[in-house]
Amino acid sequence: MNSPRKGDFLMFTGIITNLGKLKKKNGSVFIFEADRKFCRKLGSGASVAVNGTCLTIFEKPTLTSFSVELMPETLNRTMFKHIKLNEPVNLELPLSPAAFLSGHLVQGHIDGVAQLKKFTKKGNSLILQFSLPENIGKYVAEKGSIAVNGISLTVALATKSYFTVGIIPYTWTNTMLKTIKIGNFVNIETDILAKYLEKLMKK
């Protein structure tokens, strides 16, 4: 399998396929651990979404780990400035041309960081409430799409200061959300269509 590389047109779906964890951090270099099946699909120069952030693998992966280097801009804009060793992360490979689009189009370009404020149980689901950074609030709409740590979700409620999403049991069990705690930070990517619409409206 040829791994997509930096410079290719890359998109993700927000459907998490694997979980990993932070194994080691040395300055701007982050080493993540993942299972062998996932690591076999990677290569030096390949792209991978880690908690929704599109990153480039800069050296040949081992059987169970891969290394990425984060620019200062990426560290400042994402939750990686808060991440701790052994903390689980969501992993996704780029969308292939023949793949079925199950979630929504996700670029892997993080708009900002949100903080989990509370969660409540509703039937068989959980409602998570996150703070909404002022600079991206205009792109978040009820029933619209949003990526939270790379997970494609539907906005249930959006206000000026927060938004909520509903999490079904499958998503809770198969993503890093099962370990999230009040006060934890997550990466947020808003729907790219909202940004294009804003640009068109300004013309």
Side-chain angles (χ1 to χ4, degrees):
M1 174 180 176
N2 293 323
S3 302
R5 296 174 180 273
K6 188 175 182 179
D8 293 343
F9 180 71
L10 300 174
M11 297 296 285
F12 302 89
T13 67
I15 303 300
I16 303 306
T17 56
N18 289 82
L19 288 174
K21 65 180 180 180
L22 180 62
K23 181 180 179 181
K24 187 177 180 181
K25 181 169 62 171
N26 184 14
S28 62
V29 175
F30 288 62
I31 301 175
F32 293 97
E33 191 174 89
D35 65 39
R36 293 189 176 207
K37 185 177 180 181
F38 186 83
C39 288
R40 278 201 299 267
K41 299 176 182 178
L42 305 175
S44 179
S47 294
V48 61
V50 181
N51 274 356
T53 310
C54 183
L55 300 172
T56 301
I57 298 168
F58 71 86
E59 63 183 10
K60 184 178 179 180
T62 70
L63 290 175
T64 58
S65 68
F66 61 91
S67 302
V68 296
E69 188 166 11
L70 277 64
M71 297 186 299
E73 164 70 9
T74 304
L75 279 171
N76 290 334
R77 188 180 284 267
T78 66
M79 56 74 64
F80 291 116
K81 60 179 174 283
H82 303 290
I83 197 169
K84 296 178 175 59
L85 290 180
N86 296 314
E87 187 170 327
V89 293
N90 294 323
L91 300 175
E92 185 189 355
L93 293 173
L95 181 67
S96 68
F100 179 72
L101 180 60
S102 297
H104 73 280
L105 290 177
V106 177
Q107 292 184 297
H109 301 159
I110 303 304
D111 293 307
V113 171
Q115 189 176 35
L116 179 63
K117 293 300 184 181
K118 69 177 182 179
F119 56 83
T120 54
K121 190 170 178 61
K122 187 175 182 180
N124 68 336
S125 302
L126 287 169
I127 305 299
L128 275 58
Q129 179 181 309
F130 293 96
S131 62
L132 186 56
E134 187 176 345
N135 63 315
I136 63 175
K138 59 185 176 181
Y139 303 121
V140 180
E142 290 182 21
K143 309 308 178 187
S145 296
I146 194 167
V148 177
N149 267 0
I151 308 166
S152 175
L153 298 171
T154 300
V155 178
L157 176 67
T159 73
K160 289 183 178 180
S161 59
Y162 70 87
F163 70 94
T164 65
V165 290
I167 308 297
I168 61 173
Y170 180 87
T171 303
W172 183 262
T173 303
N174 291 279
T175 68
M176 56 67 58
L177 289 179
K178 62 186 175 184
T179 64
I180 199 169
K181 296 178 175 62
I182 300 295
N184 284 175
F185 293 92
V186 294
N187 290 327
I188 297 296
E189 182 184 336
T190 56
D191 193 344
I192 184 63
L193 295 179
K195 298 169 191 171
Y196 280 128
L197 181 59
E198 179 189 44
K199 186 175 181 179
L200 288 171
M201 294 293 287
K202 287 181 177 179
K203 289 186 176 181

